[in-house]
Amino acid sequence: MRIDAITIFPDYLRALDLSLIGKAARDGLISVHRHDLREWAHDRHRTVDDSPLGGGAGMVMKPEPWAEAFAAVIEQGKAELGPQAEPLIVFPNPAGQVFAQATAQEWSGREWILFACGRYEGIDERVYEHLEAAGHEIALVSLGDYVLNGGEVAVLALTEAIVRLVPGVVGNAESLVEESHSDGLLEYPLYTRPARWVDPAGAVREAPEILLSGDHGRIAAWRSERSAERTRERRPDLWDARD
Ligand SMILES: Nc1ncccc1[N+](=O)[O-]
């Protein structure tokens, strides 16, 4: 998978060189390319924003640098992946659809994802129109119903959620199966050694006996019950939506 990200803060995305994502890149499972939008702003101050037409507070990102940046980055991607390759262009945006595990799963199979990080109040609407008129596939997604100052934090989260599902990235693929949201439910409570723990307040805290029984059938049933119970309590919306 090739991942491109266009942003005015490329250093913000250096975290993609670390840990799981960084290792996936070093292992050749993905390639990550950061691009500074200002490279395509040609005035002396490399201006990428201006005040909103029609008035209002804040600033809007100008269309010209974005159009040039997309053309250049898409050309670079096609040079690597072939002329037929097409990116999924993802705009992290609070007005987008809330991102969910099912989308992460779907996008983990994509060959090429191009993230466009908006800042300020957002990007001139004509950039989206221009890309759609050129036949590009666009998705606006949000991490949740709150407002960040830009898309970079979302790119870190989205990339991690997607790339960890790319085959080979997470060592033990088994660990991906029984996670919260992987089956539409929340994960059951987890325990490890010591089975009997005296906490700092002196309370004796025992792990559930059944987990020490070695009876895998009963353990699986116990876990399934806890998962259902936890989902009903904490996320009735997920519980009601399950098929
Ligand atoms: N919530 C957000 N706020 C601003 C930019 C991007 C966002 N997001 O979640 O993708």
Side-chain angles (χ1 to χ4, degrees):
M1 177 185 291
R2 176 179 171 117
I3 294 173
D4 286 282
I6 304 172
T7 164
I8 58 171
F9 293 121
D11 285 348
Y12 208 112
L13 302 181
R14 289 233 170 278
L16 295 177
D17 294 339
L18 306 174
S19 184
L20 188 98
I21 312 292
K23 183 174 182 311
R26 285 187 292 281
D27 293 349
L29 295 169
I30 64 170
S31 65
V32 178
H33 309 262
R34 283 172 290 263
H35 308 275
D36 184 344
L37 178 65
R38 293 191 194 279
E39 205 177 303
W40 292 281
H42 305 303
D43 64 299
R44 195 153 59 91
H45 299 293
R46 292 186 169 270
T47 309
V48 293
D49 63 320
D50 200 339
S51 48
L53 289 177
M59 302 291 272
V60 176
M61 299 191 96
K62 294 169 59 63
E64 306 97 320
W66 277 109
E68 287 191 36
F70 276 117
V73 171
I74 289 172
E75 187 181 342
Q76 287 175 33
K78 282 176 180 284
E80 178 196 342
L81 301 174
Q84 304 308 320
E86 283 299 333
L88 168 64
I89 301 176
V90 177
F91 289 87
N93 187 309
Q97 280 195 327
V98 177
F99 189 71
Q101 189 68 16
T103 308
Q105 190 64 55
E106 182 193 331
W107 290 359
S108 68
R110 298 294 297 238
E111 178 189 32
W112 182 11
I113 297 178
L114 196 176
F115 289 108
C117 297
R119 277 260 147 193
Y120 311 116
E121 303 313 305
I123 300 172
D124 187 299
E125 189 64 18
R126 291 167 293 179
V127 172
Y128 303 106
E129 293 166 4
H130 162 67
L131 291 168
E132 281 174 339
H136 293 299
E137 186 183 357
I138 290 177
L140 272 70
V141 292
S142 176
L143 297 185
D145 295 332
Y146 47 83
V147 182
L148 301 168
N149 285 332
E152 288 78 9
V153 166
V155 168
L156 296 177
L158 296 170
T159 300
E160 180 155 324
I162 294 162
V163 169
R164 64 193 296 275
L165 299 175
V166 170
V169 171
V170 168
N172 170 13
E174 261 303 292
S175 65
L176 295 177
V177 173
E178 294 191 333
E179 292 182 316
S180 284
H181 304 290
S182 58
D183 57 359
L185 298 175
L186 301 186
E187 189 167 42
Y188 46 80
L190 300 170
Y191 299 84
T192 184
R193 279 177 280 279
R196 182 178 186 279
W197 172 51
V198 181
D199 78 6
V204 177
R205 298 187 180 285
E206 309 263 5
E209 209 45 49
I210 190 162
L211 298 179
L212 309 173
S213 67
D215 181 338
H216 297 295
R218 283 184 59 222
I219 290 170
W222 179 86
R223 285 175 167 170
S224 174
E225 285 156 24
R226 294 294 74 69
S227 175
E229 181 184 87
R230 184 170 267 199
T231 308
R232 269 198 305 274
E233 280 165 17
R234 294 184 188 174
R235 292 293 304 275
D237 58 312
L238 286 181
W239 182 254
D240 296 342
R242 78 196 190 294
D243 41 19

